[in-house]
């Protein structure tokens, strides 16, 4: 009869528990993995599968240490690391959604807002389209694989046994938030310039032909011009998205 001691069981359980904590924290906030359309059972099964791959590469303390003060600190630290990894990628998606909000506002679609159950907030049609586009492009450029690689590298850079060792201070978090606005403006600026030119043309037409109903002509014209510009510039959105994603995940791949 094969017998196992309590120390051996605690070591085996700990080898699975500690990586699983960080993986579950990542899945709870990371794009695609945390989507509300994905059932909780699928998320848990995915987390267990990722953990099973990482267990041989990760050195973890026994699970009995979780009830001690140092163990609780390790638990909080691993949860925070997983959350921060997902949050850095979430900022890239927030940048595209913000760009969509700006574009929709200039096109006159701000009134056509609706509740998006995927994001849990009110969005206009363009912002919802940009969020879906970002998700599809994230998969197309293997962003999910980059995210998993960053997760694996985080165990090398910030092992489980190390105490509070968050890689991102408040100042770095502010810089990432500033980068989010910069990415949004980079994507939305061509649209804003085209819409500004369209409004100038409509203003000139209103002065040249006062009998022209600018509101009746201008509203469908701005929507048409905005959609045409969006169609023409869609192929160029991949470059800033990939650069922003690599910059966000580069924190964990040093």
């Amino acid at each position: 009869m094969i017998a196992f001691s309590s120390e051996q069981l605690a070591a085996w359980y700990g080898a699975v528990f500690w990586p699983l904590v960080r993986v579950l924290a990542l899945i709870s906030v990371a794009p695609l993995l945390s989507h509300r359309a994905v059932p909780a059972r699928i998320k848990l099964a995915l987390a267990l599968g990722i953990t099973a791959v990482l267990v041989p590469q990760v050195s973890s303390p026994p699970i009995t240490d979780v009830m001690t003060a140092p163990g609780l600190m390790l638990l909080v630290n691993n949860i925070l690391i997983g959350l921060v990894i997902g949050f850095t990628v979430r900022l890239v998606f927030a940048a595209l959604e913000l760009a969509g909000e700006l574009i929709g506002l200039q096109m006159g679609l701000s009134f056509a807002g609706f509740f998006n159950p995927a994001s849990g907030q009110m969005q206009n049609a363009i912002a919802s389209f940009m969020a879906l586009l970002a998700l599809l492009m994230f998969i197309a450029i293997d962003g999910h694989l980059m995210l998993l690689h960053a997760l694996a590298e985080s165990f090398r850079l910030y092992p489980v046994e190390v105490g509070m060792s968050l890689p991102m201070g408040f100042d770095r978090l502010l810089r990432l938030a500033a980068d989010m606005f910069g990415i949004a403006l980079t994507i939305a600026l061509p649209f804003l310039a085209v819409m500004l030119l369209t409004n100038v043309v409509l203003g000139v037409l209103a002065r040249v032909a006062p009998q022209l109903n600018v509101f009746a002509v201008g509203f469908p014209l701005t929507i048409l011009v905005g959609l045409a510009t969006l169609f023409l510039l869609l192929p160029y959105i991949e470059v800033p998205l990939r650069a922003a994603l690599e910059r966000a995940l580069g924190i964990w791949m040093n």
Side-chain angles (χ1 to χ4, degrees), residues 46-104:
L46 180 61
L48 290 174
I50 296 173
T51 303
V53 175
L54 292 175
V55 163
Q57 311 296 329
V58 177
S59 177
S60 304
I63 197 172
T64 52
D65 294 345
V66 74
M67 300 308 297
T68 63
L72 290 176
M73 290 185 62
L74 287 179
L75 180 62
V76 172
N77 185 61
N78 282 280
I79 291 175
L80 289 178
I81 289 177
L83 292 177
V84 170
I85 296 175
F87 180 72
T88 53
V89 182
R90 174 66 66 182
L91 282 177
V92 179
F93 280 68
L96 265 76
E97 294 175 7
L98 178 59
E101 290 286 348
L102 293 174
I103 296 169

Side-chain angles (χ1 to χ4, degrees), residues 70-176:
L72 290 176
M73 290 185 62
L74 287 179
L75 180 62
V76 172
N77 185 61
N78 282 280
I79 291 175
L80 289 178
I81 289 177
L83 292 177
V84 170
I85 296 175
F87 180 72
T88 53
V89 182
R90 174 66 66 182
L91 282 177
V92 179
F93 280 68
L96 265 76
E97 294 175 7
L98 178 59
E101 290 286 348
L102 293 174
I103 296 169
L105 178 64
Q106 294 299 315
M107 290 173 57
L109 294 177
S110 57
F111 70 91
F114 60 94
F115 179 76
N116 188 350
S119 61
Q121 60 185 0
M122 294 292 296
Q123 290 181 332
N124 61 45
I126 301 299
S128 181
F129 170 75
M130 294 293 284
L132 180 60
L133 179 67
L135 188 62
L136 295 176
M137 292 179 64
F138 180 74
I139 300 173
I141 65 176
D142 293 332
H144 55 296
L145 299 181
M146 297 170 60
L147 182 61
L148 293 179
H149 178 61
L151 173 65
E153 285 295 303
S154 71
F155 286 100
R156 180 181 63 84
L157 297 174
Y158 307 96
V160 174
E161 302 92 334
V162 178
M164 299 301 291
S165 57
L166 282 180
M168 187 177 302
F170 185 70
D171 55 339
R172 196 166 190 178
L173 186 62
L174 287 179
R175 285 198 297 270
L176 281 176

Side-chain angles (χ1 to χ4, degrees), residues 175-191:
R175 285 198 297 270
L176 281 176
D179 289 342
M180 180 193 73
F181 287 100
I183 296 167
L185 287 177
T186 300
I187 296 174
L189 199 57
F191 297 91

